[in-house]
Amino acid sequence: MPATKEFDIVVHGATGFTGRLVVEYLLARYPNGANDAGLRWAMGGRSADKLAAVRDELGAPADTPLVVTDAADAASLRALTERTRLVLTTVGPYQLYGSDLVAACAASGTDYVDLCGEPVWMRKMIDAHEAAAKASGARIVFSCGFDSIPFDLGVLMLQNEMKARHGSTASRVRGRVRKMKGTFSGGTAASLKATLASAAQHPEEMGLLRNAFSLTPGFTGPAQPSGAKPMLDEAIGAWVGPFVMAAINTRNVHRSNYLLGHAFGADLVYDEMMVTGTGEKGEARALALASDRSMGSDDGPKPGEGPSKAERDAGLYDVMFLGHDAAGHSVQVGVTGDRDPGYGSTSKMISEAAVCLLRDCAATRGGIWTPASAMGQPLINRLVANAGLTFTVEA
């Protein structure tokens, strides 16, 4: 991608709640044109007046570039791709507002990162635009937030350690959320509602939603645990319950494996659940978790809303990955984040993913990727150095 384009990154959706957090992060970490490599970024949105107001509210320099774009105007999106090397978009639900942008990026050779957790839409985009992205050189990377970076990269790190230590891959991997403090974003809730509404209108989509290999066209691996029922997990000696992001994370992990030539083995079995504790209390919490329907309710945060800075800063998450190979060898990896998952940490992760794709991944060719398959260890390095994440081999 030639560096002669006007911008390196345009934040599409800069006036939204998460888009503002991305702009705040870029201001602090990569001030426009002032850092050692001169990253050039702009704020994008539908209204020049709103963009200017957000720029001023955030204390950004008055000369911060503003780009008027409209997700509903295909010509506007094509013009956007002509001006920037990469589009970072926080405008979801992507099945409602993202299809034309993916099409424009794939056709023009423009890189793209988003926060998508919508597997049916992602599969539609893969089927429709992967060939064009490969031809143009566009690197399109979905799911660059809490879904699914910590999980996708956590499994990658575990498998690399298993190979280095034992010369094998872990055919059974458990992702277990040990701690999490913070709310999911309003955009995540809106995406879930849009996905369910679409599936109600198009019953054939339910098959994709239920299929752990919905993002690996032409490949189906072994049967996978559903992760839907509370259980006593003997591997860790504690009760576990359903984890709401497992539906997207597990599919991205299998797609990473697929795109990496099944580097984790064609027999990978992977699930994610939330640890609720031991004994009767742990069981009760697991049962309560299984009956929780708050994500689909109307009481949670709406798109454009979110927690205060103090609440975001007080958030955290801690995820453990436990892998076993056929010979009984095991490896355990921990991944933590220092902010709430849905906002504070996600805004840092997608920002670093965008910079990583531009600066560290020249060898990644055009196509529709996952974070682990497109960026891998270079992204882990950036997240540890800049974004408050840790990746640790624990056992």
Side-chain angles (χ1 to χ4, degrees):
M1 179 69 63
T4 53
K5 286 195 174 183
E6 188 176 354
F7 306 116
D8 297 311
I9 297 170
V10 171
V11 181
H12 182 62
T15 60
F17 192 90
T18 304
R20 289 178 183 228
L21 296 179
V22 169
V23 172
E24 283 186 322
Y25 184 79
L26 293 175
L27 281 169
R29 179 68 64 180
Y30 302 102
N32 218 320
N35 57 307
D36 57 353
L39 188 72
R40 304 161 302 155
W41 56 268
M43 299 169 59
R46 289 179 295 176
S47 165
D49 290 341
K50 288 184 179 179
L51 285 168
V54 171
R55 175 198 64 200
D56 297 342
E57 288 171 15
L58 297 180
D63 61 355
T64 299
L66 308 179
V67 177
V68 177
T69 59
D70 187 347
D73 183 346
S76 163
L77 297 177
R78 287 194 297 272
L80 168 64
T81 64
E82 293 173 359
R83 301 180 68 183
T84 186
R85 298 173 64 201
L86 180 147
V87 177
L88 182 166
T89 175
T90 63
V91 182
Y94 294 94
Q95 61 197 280
L96 301 181
Y97 306 115
S99 298
D100 288 343
L101 180 56
V102 171
C105 287
S108 65
T110 304
D111 293 340
Y112 168 105
V113 296
D114 73 12
L115 298 172
C116 188
E118 305 162 44
V120 172
W121 178 79
M122 290 161 62
R123 175 57 184 269
K124 290 178 179 178
M125 294 300 99
I126 291 166
D127 292 345
H129 302 300
E130 185 159 43
K134 288 180 176 179
S136 71
R139 287 93 56 84
I140 294 171
V141 189
F142 299 133
S143 307
C144 291
F146 185 62
D147 49 333
S148 296
I149 279 179
F151 306 89
D152 199 27
L153 295 181
V155 174
L156 176 69
M157 183 178 186
L158 181 145
Q159 295 287 10
N160 287 342
E161 182 67 18
M162 181 68 82
K163 290 176 191 175
R165 193 184 296 183
H166 303 297
S168 60
T169 58
S171 56
R172 178 68 174 103
V173 179
R174 294 168 172 84
R176 298 293 181 258
V177 181
R178 295 184 290 204
K179 294 180 183 177
M180 191 172 70
K181 182 180 180 183
T183 59
F184 291 103
S185 72
T188 296
S191 293
L192 175 62
K193 292 176 184 178
T195 295
L196 295 176
S198 180
Q201 293 182 343
H202 307 282
E204 70 278 5
E205 293 181 0
M206 288 304 300
L208 285 174
L209 286 174
R210 295 190 181 107
N211 182 6
F213 297 94
S214 58
L215 301 183
T216 62
F219 173 79
T220 299
Q224 304 289 308
S226 73
K229 295 182 179 180
M231 68 176 189
L232 180 61
D233 188 346
E234 295 181 358
I236 65 171
W239 280 87
V240 295
F243 175 51
V244 69
M245 307 312 301
I248 182 59
N249 294 336
T250 54
R251 283 137 184 82
N252 274 322
V253 166
H254 285 301
R255 180 162 175 80
S256 290
N257 190 25
Y258 168 85
L259 291 172
L260 293 169
H262 289 112
F264 309 159
D267 58 348
L268 175 65
V269 175
Y270 175 67
D271 70 335
E272 292 176 1
M273 301 191 79
M274 182 169 286
V275 180
T276 58
T278 59
E280 293 181 357
K281 289 184 177 179
E283 181 180 9
R285 293 189 192 103
L287 291 168
L289 197 61
S291 63
D292 182 12
R293 299 291 182 268
S294 59
M295 179 67 80
S297 76
D298 294 327
D299 298 330
K302 305 296 188 294
E305 300 176 350
S308 68
K309 183 178 186 303
E311 290 171 326
R312 298 194 303 271
D313 291 351
L316 56 85
Y317 53 90
D318 176 1
V319 187
M320 179 265 285
F321 301 90
L322 178 62
H324 294 85
D325 69 5
H329 300 123
S330 66
V331 167
Q332 182 171 312
V333 165
V335 179
T336 70
D338 69 345
R339 295 290 187 274
D340 75 304
Y343 298 95
S345 190
T346 280
S347 57
K348 296 192 290 184
M349 284 189 276
I350 191 172
S351 300
E352 289 296 339
V355 176
C356 183
L357 192 60
L358 290 176
R359 292 187 172 175
D360 306 332
C361 300
T364 300
R365 294 178 292 183
I368 298 182
W369 298 93
T370 58
S373 59
M375 293 173 274
Q377 189 62 45
L379 182 54
I380 291 176
N381 296 343
R382 280 194 173 274
L383 295 172
V384 171
N386 300 331
L389 274 72
T390 69
F391 290 79
T392 308
V393 177
E394 298 179 339

